Amino acid sequence: MDILIPTLLTIITAATPLLYAAIGEMITEKAGVLNLGVEGMMLLGAVCGFATVHFTGSATLAILAGFLAGAGLSIIFAVLVLGFQSSQVATGLALTIFGIGLSALLGQNLVGIAYDGLPKLTIPLLYDIPVLGPLLFSHDILVYGSILLVATVAWFLNHTRPGLILRAVGNSHDAAHAIGYHVLRIRFFAILFGGGMAGLAGAYLSLAYSPLWIENMSAGRGWIALALVVFATWRPWRVLIGAYLFGGISILQLHAQALGIGVPSQVMSMLPYIATIAVLVMISRDRNKIRLNAPACIGKPFHPTS
Amino acid sequence: MLFKLIKRPEPSRAMVFVSPLVALGLTLLSGIVLFQIMGVNPGQALYAFFVEPLTSKYGWGELGVKATPLVLIAVALSIGFRAGVWNIGAEGQLTLGAICGGGIALWLYQVDSIFVLPLMVVCGIAGGMLWAAIPAFLRTRFNANEILTSLMLTYVATLFLSVLVHGPWRDPDGFNFPESRIFSDAATLPLILDGTRLHLGWIFALVVVASAWILMARTIIGFQIKVVGEAPAAGRYAGFSVNKVIWFALMMSGGAAGLAGLVEVSGPIGQLLPSISPGYGFTAIIVAFVGRLHPVGVLLAGLLLALSYLGGESAQISLNLPLAVTGVFQGMLLFFLLACDVLIQYRIVPATAKSIAS
């Protein structure tokens, strides 16, 4: 028991950034846009969040800065893809390359500085429940927020009219346009939301998961988030399950290293990446499942007059 | 909206060539703004970035050294991109090429034979192909997205190299540094220009450019690649195998990236290190697009992006600018290029009240 609860707590911290990034990307994809720039937006969110907390000392502002940085970077993507009809794949890759460079440039003087981490909000009374209390009711605000986010997004997509419109735009932009919805405007906001969430994910990395800034600290988590969306077949609660599964794998890897299993640490570090491939293969092999669940217009450009 | 896009009846051929130049101009302009913000004299910075590296013969040699892996990878990637195959993991295939080719050099380090180097080249190419075969198999057999699988394999490859140089392949006389032995002369690429570090790999790159041009312009498989990429339905109707094209594209780009990795470790680096590439595999994606997915264009674009690496180093030395500026420049160049490419398919006209009403 003494080891179990701290382990489970670290799994939650490892899963939270994946959850934010994947939920954001899922909304973007639901609107029919594939943004491969998650990694870049995460890194910019991470460096801006960390810089803000370093210079102002305010965690609230830092979280806001992470969100705004991701959303701001996604505007470039939105303008290129929606306004200039550029290839979504190429533009997303450009966003990642640019984000890696820009975050390294902005963060050059922040390397090696430490931060205490986001404060834990312990919920009185509930915290006193044995086992479950410490496990569920003593987290930072972004962990609570991530669960709330999944619930809200699930409700939004399935039970609200704007959610229905968003899905319509992603499944048939021509039909949605014919009915009179502003396809490009809706996609713009979906991209913005995805960017903001990726930024929050990055801020979580540099403020809570490992509270410091290192170049390229997201280490592929943005790409894992992209794979999680496929794994979850574009459903919010499955994104949650996937994120916790991957959080579990990355923590398992750390604990296996600590236990001194006779395998080089790098081999254990390969686990999350290999697991991502395995999971993708498992889900993708059923072509019908992908076809039924993927937004039909994903990756296709839309131009109102053509 | 201040302007409106009107679709051209046919793509503009002129714009295909104009767009990269406009993008380069806009990148330089943004560079001036960026340097102003950073408090550096833009004139000095641009000089350090784009002129200073080319003021000596040695500098021109370095341009070729940096362009070699970029051109090798980008030529092959652009073939895949034309087929709609998105191999994003060239960095990983490069690493595997370096591991397999470099492994031969370490294994035969006492052998002084002219066959060592050719064997290394073959194994380097095979290593890259092997690594690219995984996403090809997973895509054709299980429909798994090659963007994500090839990228995940890049992280695996880097960790694998790290295992090797920290463990079994560490130099026994290397004071425990995570580095392999320095390769023997027989395992090192010969230099081809006195007073520089330009090596045989540059010739490989030129040969690959020429072969790719012949492949795309003169062979059936090149034709099939273009059809499958531009009109998949027409390709299927004509009986072209999409799976074959996917395999071909990934084998080509994997092999070329593997060769690039081998060329790096047996050329300028001369041993295996935990990190052997400053992201050539990713920059090559930009090279492919700036080069218009055409072998000759890729050659020119490769030289341009190579200059951005040299410029980054030179600006770091002379102006104390961070190396990350290179990545920012490269990203901006691709952004502007993608934006300018709208002019190939569309005309931009000012949105007057009349045209909005229509």
Side-chain angles (χ1 to χ4, degrees):
Chain A
M1 230 18 146
D2 291 347
I3 314 172
L4 188 67
I5 288 179
T7 309
L8 290 174
L9 284 175
T10 46
I11 290 178
I12 293 173
T13 33
T16 301
L18 293 174
L19 190 51
Y20 275 107
I23 284 284
E25 178 67 16
M26 190 194 74
I27 288 288
T28 309
E29 291 188 14
K30 275 281 183 192
V33 180
L34 177 69
N35 186 351
L36 295 181
V38 185
E39 183 87 358
M41 300 186 292
M42 264 176 102
L43 281 166
L44 200 66
V47 75
C48 290
F50 191 78
T52 308
V53 85
H54 175 62
F55 290 118
T56 69
S58 160
T60 316
L61 282 180
I63 292 170
L64 190 68
F67 175 84
L68 290 176
L73 195 57
S74 74
I75 290 178
I76 302 180
F77 176 83
V79 168
L80 285 172
V81 164
L82 304 177
F84 290 89
Q85 306 281 309
S86 67
S87 147
Q88 294 182 5
V89 172
T91 314
L93 289 170
L95 202 67
T96 288
I97 295 172
F98 182 71
I100 293 172
L102 187 62
S103 61
L105 184 64
L106 293 173
Q108 52 168 324
N109 295 325
L110 297 170
V111 178
I113 300 169
Y115 167 61
D116 296 337
L118 289 179
K120 297 266 185 277
L121 304 176
T122 302
I123 298 174
L125 294 178
L126 288 175
Y127 181 75
D128 298 329
I129 303 170
V131 186
L132 283 181
L135 191 61
L136 298 178
F137 301 111
S138 179
H139 291 290
D140 53 67
I141 183 146
L142 285 175
V143 172
Y144 298 126
S146 67
I147 307 296
L148 196 66
L149 176 75
V150 177
T152 315
V153 163
W155 170 77
F156 169 79
L157 281 177
N158 297 321
H159 299 285
T160 70
R161 196 176 159 75
L164 184 69
I165 296 170
L166 182 89
R167 286 188 288 142
V169 165
N171 276 320
S172 172
H173 48 215
D174 292 324
H177 177 66
I179 301 169
Y181 293 119
H182 293 275
V183 172
L184 295 183
R185 191 182 300 165
I186 291 163
R187 286 192 171 164
F188 178 79
F189 285 114
I191 293 170
L192 212 60
F193 179 79
M197 288 303 117
L200 270 190
Y204 191 81
L205 285 178
S206 67
L207 295 174
Y209 182 69
S210 50
L212 42 80
W213 163 253
I214 326 167
E215 259 181 51
N216 240 331
M217 70 184 295
S218 53
R221 285 188 184 82
W223 297 100
I224 293 180
L226 276 156
L228 274 180
V229 178
V230 181
F231 167 77
T233 53
W234 292 268
R235 288 171 203 189
W237 289 107
R238 290 195 192 174
V239 171
L240 180 91
I241 297 170
Y244 277 83
L245 199 67
F246 271 81
I249 292 170
S250 51
I251 294 305
L252 177 79
Q253 168 240 126
L254 290 178
H255 279 271
Q257 283 176 27
L259 287 174
I261 290 177
V263 180
S265 65
Q266 295 96 330
V267 174
M268 296 307 293
S269 304
M270 291 175 191
L271 263 182
Y273 308 113
I274 294 174
T276 306
I277 296 172
V279 153
L280 257 182
V281 167
M282 264 165 19
I283 297 291
S284 309
R285 57 190 294 193
D286 187 350
R287 280 168 204 255
N288 285 329
K289 198 170 181 179
I290 294 290
R291 208 172 294 153
L292 283 173
N293 290 294
C297 285
I298 196 158
K300 291 182 190 151
F302 175 76
H303 186 239
T305 57
S306 59
Chain B
M1 289 287 254
L2 297 171
F3 62 86
K4 230 176 105 151
L5 300 179
I6 307 284
K7 195 156 182 128
R8 294 176 194 272
E10 266 177 48
S12 159
R13 279 191 67 78
M15 284 303 160
V16 173
F17 300 103
V18 172
S19 164
L21 299 176
V22 177
L24 181 60
L26 288 172
T27 308
L28 291 180
L29 276 179
S30 316
I32 293 174
V33 175
L34 180 72
F35 289 130
Q36 285 282 15
I37 296 171
M38 293 170 69
V40 184
N41 179 338
Q44 265 182 338
L46 288 180
Y47 178 83
F49 235 89
F50 295 104
V51 183
E52 203 175 18
L54 300 179
T55 47
S56 66
K57 184 182 173 191
Y58 180 81
W60 283 93
E62 284 302 288
L63 188 70
V65 171
K66 292 271 194 286
T68 298
L70 290 175
V71 171
L72 276 173
I73 301 171
V75 165
L77 279 187
S78 58
I79 292 173
F81 291 169
R82 289 186 96 166
V85 178
W86 295 96
N87 176 10
I88 305 304
E91 186 82 0
Q93 293 139 24
L94 175 149
T95 306
L96 249 280
I99 291 173
C100 294
I104 298 292
L106 297 175
W107 178 47
L108 300 176
Y109 81 100
Q110 280 171 320
V111 177
D112 183 24
S113 154
I114 54 158
F115 294 108
V116 173
L117 205 52
L119 185 63
M120 284 168 66
V121 169
V122 169
C123 287
I125 294 173
M129 282 184 164
L130 179 80
W131 214 236
I134 302 172
F137 174 72
L138 297 179
R139 165 81 194 270
T140 51
R141 177 74 180 74
F142 297 114
N143 194 32
N145 182 319
E146 77 278 10
I147 297 178
L148 293 172
T149 51
S150 64
L151 196 102
M152 289 295 128
L153 286 168
T154 297
Y155 291 99
V156 177
T158 313
L159 289 164
F160 184 39
L161 176 63
S162 172
V163 172
L164 292 173
V165 293
H166 278 93
W169 288 4
R170 187 163 51 192
D171 184 355
D173 313 316
F175 307 103
N176 259 343
F177 280 109
E179 298 173 1
S180 79
R181 277 177 208 283
I182 292 175
F183 295 170
S184 67
D185 287 346
T188 308
L189 285 174
L191 300 182
I192 55 173
L193 189 62
D194 283 340
T196 70
R197 296 199 303 159
L198 194 65
H199 52 75
L200 193 62
W202 175 240
I203 306 295
F204 294 165
L206 295 179
V207 170
V208 168
V209 167
S211 329
W213 185 80
I214 293 169
L215 178 91
M216 291 309 280
R218 293 279 178 274
T219 67
I220 301 273
I221 181 84
F223 177 69
Q224 291 183 343
I225 283 168
K226 284 185 268 189
V227 172
V228 168
E230 278 163 37
R236 274 194 300 275
Y237 185 69
F240 300 164
S241 160
V242 176
N243 282 356
K244 186 175 132 192
V245 168
I246 292 170
W247 269 102
F248 185 80
L250 276 160
M251 287 300 96
M252 288 279 299
S253 45
L259 178 60
L262 176 273
V263 156
E264 281 299 292
V265 292
S266 72
I269 302 177
Q271 66 187 132
L272 286 174
L273 303 174
S275 167
I276 49 165
S277 153
Y280 289 135
F282 297 109
T283 306
I285 298 168
I286 304 179
V287 173
F289 280 105
V290 176
R292 318 280 64 194
L293 306 183
H294 186 282
V296 178
V298 164
L299 180 62
L300 298 173
L303 290 168
L304 176 68
L305 271 293
L307 183 58
S308 78
Y309 277 113
L310 289 184
E313 287 169 14
S314 127
Q316 189 186 26
I317 296 164
S318 61
L319 296 169
N320 213 7
L321 283 173
L323 213 49
V325 174
T326 303
V328 176
F329 260 117
Q330 293 176 348
M332 283 197 302
L333 178 62
L334 186 50
F335 279 143
F336 284 123
L337 180 84
L338 292 166
C340 293
D341 274 358
V342 74
L343 295 169
I344 297 171
Q345 297 287 350
Y346 296 89
R347 282 186 304 130
I348 295 184
V349 292
T352 57
K354 207 169 132 198
S355 71
I356 287 172
S358 65

